[in-house]
Amino acid sequence: MENDLSKLDEIINALNNRFYEREAEIEAILIAVLARQHILIIGPSGTAKSALVTALAKIIQGTKYFQWLLTRFSTPEELFGPLSLKDLERGVYKRNTETKMPEADIAFLDEIFKANSAILNSLLTIINERVFYNDGMPIQVPLMSVIGASNEFPEEGEGLDALFDRFLLRFEIEYIVEDTNFIFMMKNAGRHMQLPTVTMEELTRLQFLTERVVIQDEVYTAILKIRKELRDEGIQPSDRRFQQSLSLLQARALIRKREVVLVDDIIILEHVLWERVEQRDTVSFIVRRHAQDTVIQKLDSIQTEAIEIINMILQDNSVEAKMEANQKINALDLELNELKKSHRERESEINVLHSKVKSMQQEILNSILEPMYFNGENVKGVFW
């Protein structure tokens, strides 16, 4: 498992070194692939959308990759393959799908919203159901992820709402902002660095590990609160969208080398739960407010209180002050024990702070028994 996860680190680092200011998008595309979901990237031409996806396709060895630029005049043959002349002679309306989208593991469709009615229904079925109807026969396709790209969002009334809805993740990308990064990009720094590789077998194992990541009840509770608040704002993502989003949370946790989804993984839902552009800020605000890990919040609170206890003793080194500090630090010790009982899967994380509190506890106790013993600077150094 560690070797497989280290591959993810190598891929992320290599792509970040090649594509500047694309950290969020790189992680999101990997999350989509691990979760077998689809992602939409909106941004002007020249923002490295296709270059990024092409680089990822090269990293995954043995993958069948399909890439196409759609226009208003794109035909079904371009995406799904030409009709077989031999079969047509026999009155069979069958397409030769070799090297086309129905046989792809990963597909990149540029200018996705240029899709016309001639290809839209088949495209929707492949993306949503992973099924392609060839001469009326449903064929299961190996498609893991579709990465769609467009220069702009679809306009209302164009009949593209269903296609837009098929993309679980939605990101908007801009030109490089930082001057330093712009200069590096101009100099092609990192452009010729050798990319790491991952085999399809390794990718399949990572997808299997993603499915095994555990989602705690507190995560479901946080999502329920988000759903209620969005509804109050008139924003109602479908039940299907909520259900599918769980795989994204699992993939995000796996990328961070965790076997458990934490509440802060919910942050990715700010790119999932909006339907219209004007809803993005509201969704982001609500999601971010609930994507705060309760364990981390509690640990931060306990550490802050411990530091306040140290400062109190440094200002007042009397026996009374130390006795009061001892009572307070004992209370923190009890809180940490209770926190470990209720979050056993995060015991090692909690123990990091607990060991510091115990060291402080012993220092205070020793200083009460031996007034000259207490070294406030050493204790303070444990936390700073």
Side-chain angles (χ1 to χ4, degrees):
M1 178 177 174
E2 289 184 8
N3 289 337
D4 290 333
L5 294 180
S6 66
K7 289 268 187 173
L8 288 177
D9 285 339
E10 292 176 17
I11 293 169
I12 290 171
N13 291 335
L15 292 176
N16 283 335
N17 287 332
R18 180 174 290 200
F19 300 98
Y20 301 100
E21 298 183 14
R22 300 292 179 259
E23 292 86 355
E25 291 77 15
I26 288 167
E27 181 183 73
I29 292 173
L30 282 173
I31 285 174
V33 172
L34 290 175
R36 300 174 185 266
Q37 299 292 350
H38 311 302
I39 178 171
L40 175 66
I41 303 175
I42 304 289
S45 299
T47 47
K49 298 187 293 292
S50 61
L52 174 55
V53 181
T54 300
L56 178 62
K58 290 178 180 178
I59 286 173
I60 307 172
Q61 292 188 331
T63 184
K64 290 184 178 180
Y65 175 64
F66 177 77
Q67 178 174 331
W68 205 261
L69 172 65
L70 294 174
T71 71
R72 295 294 182 192
F73 308 103
S74 292
T75 64
E77 286 75 18
E78 295 174 24
L79 267 65
F80 313 125
L83 290 172
S84 169
L85 295 179
K86 284 185 178 181
D87 289 322
L88 198 58
E89 289 174 358
R90 297 185 289 111
V92 177
Y93 194 80
K94 188 176 182 180
R95 294 189 180 279
N96 180 6
T97 58
E98 187 177 357
T99 74
K100 296 297 183 178
M101 189 175 176
E103 296 193 10
D105 300 304
I106 296 175
F108 175 65
L109 299 179
D110 203 358
E111 291 303 323
I112 182 73
F113 297 121
K114 295 287 197 303
N116 56 53
S117 58
I119 63 175
L120 195 54
N121 286 339
S122 294
L123 191 57
L124 289 172
T125 305
I126 285 183
I127 293 175
N128 191 47
E129 301 172 27
R130 267 68 168 199
V131 169
F132 175 66
Y133 285 89
N134 205 353
D135 190 34
M137 296 293 294
I139 307 296
Q140 200 72 33
V141 301
L143 187 66
M144 292 186 293
S145 295
V146 173
I147 298 103
S150 177
N151 292 343
E152 56 193 3
F153 290 96
E155 294 183 8
E156 289 187 23
E158 290 188 338
L160 296 170
D161 292 348
L163 181 59
F164 183 68
D165 182 63
R166 294 301 189 272
F167 291 94
L168 191 60
L169 277 165
R170 298 153 179 165
F171 274 76
E172 192 165 10
I173 197 169
E174 301 291 345
Y175 292 120
I176 291 173
V177 175
E178 293 294 328
D179 292 345
T180 303
N181 289 334
F182 179 76
I183 294 297
F184 276 129
M185 183 274 295
M186 293 287 285
K187 290 181 176 180
N188 292 326
R191 188 67 52 86
H192 303 295
M193 291 176 58
Q194 185 173 358
L195 291 171
T197 60
V198 60
T199 64
M200 281 293 290
E201 182 181 355
E202 289 169 328
L203 179 58
T204 301
R205 279 202 302 269
L206 287 166
Q207 291 172 332
F208 174 73
L209 291 173
T210 298
E211 293 171 357
R212 297 187 65 182
V213 173
V214 176
I215 302 176
Q216 297 289 317
D217 286 343
E218 62 181 348
V219 174
Y220 291 113
T221 301
I223 292 174
L224 181 61
K225 291 177 181 178
I226 290 171
R227 181 174 182 259
K228 289 179 178 178
E229 290 191 28
L230 289 178
R231 183 175 291 177
D232 291 341
E233 295 291 335
I235 302 171
Q236 291 186 280
S238 67
D239 292 345
R240 180 185 65 191
R241 182 163 286 270
F242 273 109
Q243 195 276 331
Q244 290 178 339
S245 70
L246 298 178
S247 62
L248 303 178
L249 305 183
Q250 292 172 304
R252 189 179 190 272
L254 188 75
I255 284 177
R256 285 160 175 73
K257 298 183 175 64
R258 286 191 266 103
E259 297 179 7
V260 177
V261 172
L262 303 183
V263 172
D264 63 3
D265 290 316
I266 290 174
I267 192 67
I268 198 168
L269 298 187
E270 68 176 330
H271 301 288
V272 175
L273 299 179
W274 53 273
E275 296 296 322
R276 299 192 303 275
V277 178
E278 60 268 22
Q279 297 174 344
R280 280 188 303 176
D281 290 344
T282 301
V283 170
S284 180
F285 176 77
I286 292 173
V287 168
R288 284 178 177 271
R289 188 150 50 82
H290 289 283
Q292 297 179 16
D293 191 294
T294 53
V295 172
I296 291 176
Q297 284 182 304
K298 189 66 176 176
L299 291 176
D300 287 345
S301 175
I302 291 173
Q303 178 163 317
T304 299
E305 193 170 345
I307 291 171
E308 289 175 357
I309 293 170
I310 294 172
N311 290 332
M312 181 184 74
I313 301 175
L314 291 176
Q315 293 171 10
D316 184 355
N317 201 27
S318 65
V319 174
E320 292 79 7
K322 291 176 182 177
M323 292 292 290
E324 182 182 351
N326 188 54
Q327 289 180 342
K328 290 183 176 180
I329 205 70
N330 284 340
L332 295 185
D333 178 53
L334 290 174
E335 280 189 62
L336 286 165
N337 280 324
E338 289 300 315
L339 195 62
K340 280 191 281 190
K341 287 180 183 178
S342 58
H343 296 85
R344 295 188 184 280
E345 75 285 352
R346 302 181 66 180
E347 185 172 347
S348 59
E349 182 181 353
I350 298 168
N351 277 338
V352 174
L353 179 61
H354 203 180
S355 64
K356 295 179 180 180
V357 168
K358 282 187 174 296
S359 295
M360 180 180 169
Q361 193 177 30
Q362 189 62 49
E363 284 281 339
I364 294 173
L365 184 59
N366 289 341
S367 71
I368 292 173
L369 299 174
E370 301 178 46
M372 300 302 294
Y373 177 84
F374 184 73
N375 188 333
E377 291 303 316
N378 285 345
V379 177
K380 186 171 70 172
V382 169
F383 292 97
W384 282 291

